[in-house]
């Protein structure tokens, strides 16, 4: 059973889910910051921390500089797919009144769903023996929408 399969670094699916879920909560919290783009920067930091923890559990080397370059090249190319929705949610906070209300309502779910999608995709990649340098942007982009939709459902259950 894949759900209980122990992989490199003694990480089970349940362990990965726990790391991802904890970072989803943090993402929801940072999404409530009322200052546009500060919330978005905080979200990026939370997601990098999540990837560091997942990598450590899987025994995948995490050199901050090397990983940042890999992640920025990977996610930079996927930016429109991965972060456009949370960024739009962040920017709605600029609009006085209704924009801030919409941002505060929408952003926590969108931030958590994005965190879920990235975490699940990378954990799955590591489970199959991958590393940061072997992440495939095209595969990530193809699989991201489905993971994002799953993430919205999981996030709705957390709130």
């Amino acid at each position: 059973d894949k759900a209980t399969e122990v992989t490199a670094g003694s990480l089970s699916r349940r362990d990965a889910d726990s790391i991802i879920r904890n970072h989803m909560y943090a993402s929801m919290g940072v999404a409530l910051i009322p200052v546009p783009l500060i919330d978005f920067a905080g979200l990026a930091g939370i997601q990098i921390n999540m990837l560091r923890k997942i990598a450590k559990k899987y025994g995948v080397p995490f050199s901050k500089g090397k990983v940042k370059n890999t992640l920025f090249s990977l996610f930079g190319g996927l930016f429109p797919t991965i972060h456009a929705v949370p960024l739009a949610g962040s920017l709605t906070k600029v609009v006085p009144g209704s924009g801030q209300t919409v941002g505060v309502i929408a952003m926590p779910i969108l931030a958590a769903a994005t965190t879920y999608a990235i975490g699940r995709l990378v954990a799955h990649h590591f489970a199959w023996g991958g590393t940061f340098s072997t992440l495939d942007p095209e595969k990530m982009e193809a699989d991201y929408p489905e993971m994002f939709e799953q993430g919205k459902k999981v996030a709705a259950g957390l709130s």
Side-chain angles (χ1 to χ4, degrees), residues 99-141:
Q100 291 177 339
T101 301
V102 169
V104 167
I105 292 170
M107 267 303 288
I109 299 294
L110 299 175
T114 300
T115 299
Y116 174 89
I118 291 169
R120 286 279 8 114
L121 290 168
V122 172
H124 180 77
H125 176 71
F126 290 167
W128 287 95
T131 66
F132 282 107
S133 61
T134 61
L135 283 168
D136 179 358
E138 290 177 9
K139 177 141 179 53
M140 293 277 291
E141 186 172 12

Side-chain angles (χ1 to χ4, degrees), residues 3-145:
T4 58
E5 175 183 298
V6 176
T7 59
S10 298
L11 183 72
S12 70
R13 168 80 187 247
R14 188 175 309 142
D15 293 330
D17 288 346
S18 177
I19 291 168
I20 293 166
R21 185 176 48 258
N22 289 339
H23 286 81
M24 288 175 72
Y25 281 122
S27 295
M28 292 173 101
V30 80
L32 295 173
I33 295 172
V35 182
L37 301 180
I38 298 296
D39 57 349
F40 190 73
L43 176 61
I46 288 166
Q47 291 170 347
I48 288 172
N49 184 57
M50 173 184 66
L51 296 178
R52 181 186 58 79
K53 288 184 177 190
I54 292 171
K56 182 177 179 183
K57 288 287 188 174
Y58 277 105
V60 173
F62 187 96
S63 161
K64 196 171 189 175
K66 189 175 185 180
V67 170
K68 270 188 177 180
N69 289 341
T70 301
L71 292 176
F72 283 122
S73 68
L74 174 70
F75 293 125
L78 298 177
F79 188 87
T81 303
I82 292 177
H83 286 106
V85 174
L87 180 60
S90 176
L91 293 175
T92 62
K93 294 176 185 176
V94 173
V95 179
S98 64
Q100 291 177 339
T101 301
V102 169
V104 167
I105 292 170
M107 267 303 288
I109 299 294
L110 299 175
T114 300
T115 299
Y116 174 89
I118 291 169
R120 286 279 8 114
L121 290 168
V122 172
H124 180 77
H125 176 71
F126 290 167
W128 287 95
T131 66
F132 282 107
S133 61
T134 61
L135 283 168
D136 179 358
E138 290 177 9
K139 177 141 179 53
M140 293 277 291
E141 186 172 12
D143 295 341
Y144 180 82

